[in-house]
Coordinates of all heavy atoms in Angstrom, one line a residue:
M295 N 145.3 -137.3 -15.9 CA 145.7 -137.7 -17.3 C 146.6 -136.6 -17.8 O 146.3 -135.4 -17.7 CB 144.4 -137.8 -18.1 CG 144.6 -138.0 -19.5 SD 143.2 -138.0 -20.7 CE 141.9 -138.7 -19.8
N296 N 147.7 -137.0 -18.4 CA 148.6 -136.2 -19.2 C 148.5 -136.5 -20.6 O 148.7 -137.6 -21.0 CB 150.0 -136.3 -18.6 CG 150.2 -135.9 -17.2 OD1 149.6 -134.8 -16.8 ND2 151.0 -136.6 -16.5
V297 N 148.3 -135.5 -21.4 CA 148.2 -135.7 -22.9 C 149.2 -134.6 -23.5 O 149.1 -133.4 -23.1 CB 146.8 -135.5 -23.4 CG1 146.8 -135.6 -24.9 CG2 145.9 -136.4 -22.8
V298 N 150.0 -135.0 -24.4 CA 150.9 -134.1 -25.1 C 150.6 -134.2 -26.6 O 150.6 -135.3 -27.1 CB 152.4 -134.4 -24.9 CG1 153.3 -133.5 -25.6 CG2 152.7 -134.4 -23.4
I299 N 150.3 -133.1 -27.2 CA 150.0 -133.1 -28.7 C 151.1 -132.4 -29.4 O 151.4 -131.2 -29.1 CB 148.6 -132.4 -28.9 CG1 147.5 -133.2 -28.2 CG2 148.3 -132.4 -30.4 CD1 146.2 -132.5 -28.3
F300 N 151.8 -133.0 -30.3 CA 152.8 -132.5 -31.1 C 152.4 -132.3 -32.6 O 151.5 -133.1 -33.0 CB 154.1 -133.4 -31.1 CG 154.7 -133.6 -29.8 CD1 154.5 -134.6 -29.0 CD2 155.6 -132.6 -29.4 CE1 155.1 -134.8 -27.8 CE2 156.3 -132.7 -28.2 CZ 156.1 -133.8 -27.4
G301 N 152.9 -131.3 -33.3 CA 152.7 -131.2 -34.7 C 153.1 -129.8 -35.2 O 153.4 -129.0 -34.4
P302 N 153.2 -129.7 -36.5 CA 153.6 -128.5 -37.0 C 152.6 -127.4 -36.9 O 151.4 -127.7 -36.6 CB 153.9 -128.8 -38.5 CG 153.0 -130.0 -38.7 CD 152.9 -130.7 -37.5
P303 N 152.9 -126.1 -37.1 CA 151.9 -125.1 -37.1 C 150.8 -125.3 -38.1 O 151.0 -125.8 -39.2 CB 152.7 -123.8 -37.5 CG 154.2 -124.1 -37.2 CD 154.3 -125.6 -37.4
G304 N 149.6 -125.1 -37.6 CA 148.4 -125.3 -38.5 C 147.9 -126.7 -38.6 O 147.0 -126.9 -39.4
A305 N 148.5 -127.6 -37.8 CA 148.0 -129.0 -37.9 C 146.8 -129.3 -37.1 O 146.2 -130.4 -37.3 CB 149.2 -129.9 -37.4
G306 N 146.3 -128.3 -36.3 CA 145.1 -128.6 -35.6 C 145.2 -129.0 -34.1 O 144.3 -129.5 -33.5
K307 N 146.4 -128.7 -33.6 CA 146.7 -129.0 -32.2 C 145.8 -128.3 -31.3 O 145.3 -128.8 -30.3 CB 148.2 -128.7 -31.8 CG 149.2 -129.5 -32.6 CD 150.6 -129.0 -32.3 CE 150.9 -127.6 -32.6 NZ 150.9 -127.1 -34.0
G308 N 145.6 -127.0 -31.5 CA 144.8 -126.1 -30.7 C 143.3 -126.6 -30.8 O 142.6 -126.6 -29.8
T309 N 142.9 -126.9 -31.9 CA 141.5 -127.4 -32.1 C 141.2 -128.7 -31.4 O 140.2 -128.8 -30.6 CB 141.2 -127.6 -33.6 OG1 141.4 -126.4 -34.3 CG2 139.8 -128.1 -33.9
Q310 N 142.1 -129.6 -31.5 CA 142.0 -130.9 -30.8 C 142.1 -130.7 -29.3 O 141.4 -131.3 -28.5 CB 143.0 -131.9 -31.3 CG 142.8 -132.3 -32.7 CD 141.4 -132.8 -33.0 OE1 140.8 -133.6 -32.3 NE2 140.8 -132.3 -34.1
S311 N 143.0 -129.8 -28.9 CA 143.2 -129.6 -27.4 C 141.9 -129.0 -26.8 O 141.5 -129.4 -25.7 CB 144.3 -128.6 -27.2 OG 145.5 -129.1 -27.6
A312 N 141.3 -128.1 -27.5 CA 140.1 -127.5 -27.0 C 139.0 -128.5 -26.9 O 138.2 -128.5 -25.9 CB 139.6 -126.3 -28.0
K313 N 138.9 -129.4 -27.8 CA 137.9 -130.5 -27.7 C 138.2 -131.4 -26.5 O 137.3 -131.8 -25.8 CB 137.9 -131.3 -29.0 CG 137.3 -130.6 -30.1 CD 137.3 -131.4 -31.4 CE 136.7 -130.6 -32.6 NZ 136.6 -131.3 -33.8
L314 N 139.5 -131.7 -26.2 CA 139.8 -132.6 -25.1 C 139.6 -131.9 -23.8 O 139.1 -132.5 -22.8 CB 141.3 -133.0 -25.2 CG 141.6 -134.0 -26.3 CD1 143.1 -134.1 -26.5 CD2 141.0 -135.3 -26.1
V315 N 139.9 -130.6 -23.7 CA 139.7 -129.8 -22.5 C 138.2 -129.9 -22.2 O 137.8 -130.1 -21.0 CB 140.2 -128.4 -22.7 CG1 139.6 -127.5 -21.6 CG2 141.7 -128.3 -22.7
K316 N 137.3 -129.6 -23.2 CA 135.9 -129.6 -22.9 C 135.3 -131.0 -22.5 O 134.6 -131.1 -21.6 CB 135.2 -129.1 -24.2 CG 133.7 -128.9 -24.0 CD 133.1 -128.3 -25.3 CE 131.6 -128.2 -25.1 NZ 130.9 -127.6 -26.3
E317 N 135.8 -132.0 -23.3 CA 135.2 -133.3 -23.1 C 135.6 -133.9 -21.7 O 134.8 -134.6 -21.1 CB 135.7 -134.2 -24.2 CG 135.2 -135.7 -24.1 CD 133.7 -135.9 -24.4 OE1 133.1 -135.0 -25.1 OE2 133.1 -136.8 -23.9
F318 N 136.9 -133.7 -21.3 CA 137.4 -134.4 -20.1 C 137.7 -133.4 -19.0 O 138.3 -133.8 -18.0 CB 138.7 -135.2 -20.5 CG 138.4 -136.3 -21.5 CD1 138.8 -136.2 -22.8 CD2 137.8 -137.5 -21.1 CE1 138.6 -137.2 -23.7 CE2 137.5 -138.5 -22.0 CZ 137.9 -138.3 -23.3
N319 N 137.3 -132.2 -19.1 CA 137.5 -131.2 -18.1 C 139.0 -131.1 -17.7 O 139.4 -131.2 -16.5 CB 136.6 -131.5 -16.9 CG 136.6 -130.3 -15.9 OD1 136.7 -129.1 -16.3 ND2 136.4 -130.6 -14.6
L320 N 139.8 -130.9 -18.7 CA 141.3 -130.8 -18.5 C 141.8 -129.4 -18.5 O 141.0 -128.5 -18.8 CB 142.0 -131.6 -19.6 CG 141.7 -133.1 -19.8 CD1 142.3 -133.7 -21.0 CD2 142.1 -133.8 -18.5
F321 N 143.0 -129.2 -18.2 CA 143.7 -127.9 -18.2 C 144.6 -127.9 -19.4 O 145.4 -128.8 -19.7 CB 144.4 -127.6 -16.9 CG 145.2 -126.3 -17.0 CD1 144.6 -125.2 -16.7 CD2 146.6 -126.4 -17.2 CE1 145.3 -123.9 -16.7 CE2 147.3 -125.2 -17.2 CZ 146.6 -124.0 -17.0
Q322 N 144.5 -126.8 -20.2 CA 145.4 -126.7 -21.4 C 146.5 -125.7 -21.1 O 146.4 -124.6 -20.6 CB 144.5 -126.1 -22.6 CG 145.3 -126.0 -23.8 CD 144.5 -125.6 -25.0 OE1 143.3 -125.4 -24.9 NE2 145.1 -125.3 -26.2
L323 N 147.7 -126.2 -21.5 CA 148.9 -125.4 -21.3 C 149.6 -125.4 -22.7 O 150.0 -126.4 -23.2 CB 149.8 -126.1 -20.3 CG 151.1 -125.4 -20.0 CD1 150.9 -124.1 -19.3 CD2 152.0 -126.3 -19.1
S324 N 149.8 -124.2 -23.2 CA 150.4 -124.1 -24.6 C 151.8 -123.4 -24.4 O 151.9 -122.3 -23.9 CB 149.5 -123.2 -25.4 OG 150.2 -122.8 -26.6
T325 N 152.8 -124.2 -24.7 CA 154.2 -123.6 -24.6 C 154.4 -122.4 -25.5 O 155.0 -121.4 -25.1 CB 155.2 -124.7 -24.9 OG1 155.0 -125.2 -26.1 CG2 155.2 -125.8 -23.8
G326 N 153.7 -122.4 -26.7 CA 153.9 -121.2 -27.5 C 153.3 -120.0 -26.9 O 153.9 -118.9 -27.0
D327 N 152.1 -120.2 -26.3 CA 151.5 -119.0 -25.6 C 152.3 -118.5 -24.5 O 152.5 -117.3 -24.3 CB 150.1 -119.4 -25.1 CG 149.1 -119.6 -26.2 OD1 149.3 -119.2 -27.4 OD2 148.0 -120.2 -26.0
L328 N 152.9 -119.4 -23.7 CA 153.7 -119.1 -22.6 C 155.0 -118.3 -23.0 O 155.3 -117.3 -22.5 CB 154.2 -120.3 -21.8 CG 153.1 -121.0 -21.0 CD1 153.7 -122.3 -20.5 CD2 152.6 -120.2 -19.9
L329 N 155.6 -118.8 -24.1 CA 156.8 -118.1 -24.6 C 156.4 -116.7 -25.2 O 157.2 -115.8 -24.9 CB 157.5 -118.9 -25.7 CG 158.1 -120.2 -25.2 CD1 158.5 -121.1 -26.4 CD2 159.3 -119.8 -24.3
R330 N 155.3 -116.6 -25.9 CA 154.9 -115.3 -26.4 C 154.6 -114.3 -25.3 O 155.0 -113.2 -25.4 CB 153.7 -115.4 -27.4 CG 154.1 -115.9 -28.7 CD 152.9 -115.9 -29.7 NE 152.0 -117.0 -29.4 CZ 152.1 -118.3 -29.7 NH1 153.2 -118.6 -30.4 NH2 151.2 -119.2 -29.4
D331 N 154.0 -114.8 -24.2 CA 153.7 -113.9 -23.1 C 155.0 -113.4 -22.4 O 155.1 -112.2 -22.1 CB 152.8 -114.7 -22.1 CG 151.4 -114.9 -22.5 OD1 150.9 -114.2 -23.5 OD2 150.7 -115.7 -21.8
E332 N 155.9 -114.3 -22.2 CA 157.2 -113.9 -21.6 C 157.9 -112.9 -22.5 O 158.5 -112.0 -22.0 CB 158.0 -115.1 -21.3 CG 157.5 -116.0 -20.2 CD 157.3 -115.2 -18.9 OE1 158.2 -114.6 -18.5 OE2 156.2 -115.3 -18.3
V333 N 158.0 -113.1 -23.8 CA 158.6 -112.2 -24.7 C 157.9 -110.8 -24.6 O 158.6 -109.8 -24.5 CB 158.6 -112.7 -26.1 CG1 159.1 -111.6 -27.1 CG2 159.5 -113.9 -26.3
N334 N 156.6 -110.8 -24.6 CA 155.9 -109.5 -24.5 C 156.1 -108.8 -23.2 O 156.1 -107.6 -23.1 CB 154.4 -109.8 -24.7 CG 154.1 -110.1 -26.1 OD1 154.8 -109.7 -27.0 ND2 153.0 -110.8 -26.3
K335 N 156.4 -109.6 -22.1 CA 156.7 -109.0 -20.8 C 158.2 -108.5 -20.7 O 158.6 -108.0 -19.7 CB 156.5 -110.0 -19.7 CG 155.1 -110.4 -19.4 CD 155.0 -111.4 -18.3 CE 153.7 -112.1 -18.2 NZ 153.7 -113.2 -17.2
K336 N 158.9 -108.8 -21.7 CA 160.3 -108.4 -21.8 C 161.2 -109.3 -20.8 O 162.2 -108.8 -20.4 CB 160.6 -106.9 -21.5 CG 159.7 -106.0 -22.3 CD 160.2 -106.0 -23.7 CE 159.4 -104.9 -24.4 NZ 159.0 -105.1 -25.8
N337 N 160.7 -110.5 -20.5 CA 161.5 -111.3 -19.6 C 162.4 -112.2 -20.4 O 163.3 -112.9 -19.8 CB 160.5 -112.2 -18.8 CG 159.8 -111.5 -17.8 OD1 160.3 -110.4 -17.3 ND2 158.7 -112.0 -17.3
C338 N 162.3 -112.3 -21.7 CA 163.1 -113.1 -22.6 C 163.8 -112.2 -23.6 O 163.4 -111.2 -23.9 CB 162.3 -114.2 -23.3 SG 161.6 -115.4 -22.2
I339 N 164.9 -112.7 -24.1 CA 165.6 -112.0 -25.1 C 165.2 -112.6 -26.5 O 165.3 -113.8 -26.6 CB 167.2 -112.2 -24.9 CG1 167.6 -111.6 -23.6 CG2 167.9 -111.6 -26.1 CD1 169.1 -111.9 -23.2
R340 N 164.8 -111.7 -27.4 CA 164.5 -112.2 -28.7 C 165.7 -112.5 -29.5 O 166.7 -111.7 -29.4 CB 163.7 -111.2 -29.4 CG 162.3 -111.1 -28.9 CD 161.5 -110.1 -29.8 NE 160.1 -110.0 -29.3 CZ 159.2 -109.4 -29.8 NH1 159.4 -108.7 -30.9 NH2 158.0 -109.3 -29.3
I341 N 165.7 -113.6 -30.2 CA 166.9 -114.0 -31.0 C 166.6 -113.8 -32.4 O 165.6 -114.0 -32.9 CB 167.3 -115.5 -30.7 CG1 167.7 -115.6 -29.3 CG2 168.5 -115.9 -31.6 CD1 167.9 -117.1 -28.9

């Protein structure tokens, strides 16, 4: 199952994702978390 949740910051995407992960034993991938990790590793250029 692939689920994509879109919305503005603070809309509850993370809250709903956590519930779906728990209920259906899914894997959560957050593009925001991935980008922040890469910036912190100095692999990306901050604009």
Side-chain angles (χ1 to χ4, degrees):
M295 175 188 321
N296 293 320
V297 178
V298 180
I299 300 175
F300 293 100
K307 300 176 300 291
T309 301
Q310 295 304 314
S311 296
K313 291 179 180 183
L314 290 170
V315 165
K316 185 176 178 182
E317 180 72 23
F318 297 104
N319 194 30
L320 301 173
F321 176 78
Q322 182 177 357
L323 180 67
S324 169
T325 55
D327 290 344
L328 291 173
L329 289 170
R330 281 186 288 279
D331 287 346
E332 291 302 311
V333 168
N334 288 334
K335 291 180 196 173
K336 307 291 187 216
N337 290 337
C338 292
I339 298 172
R340 287 186 181 183
I341 298 175

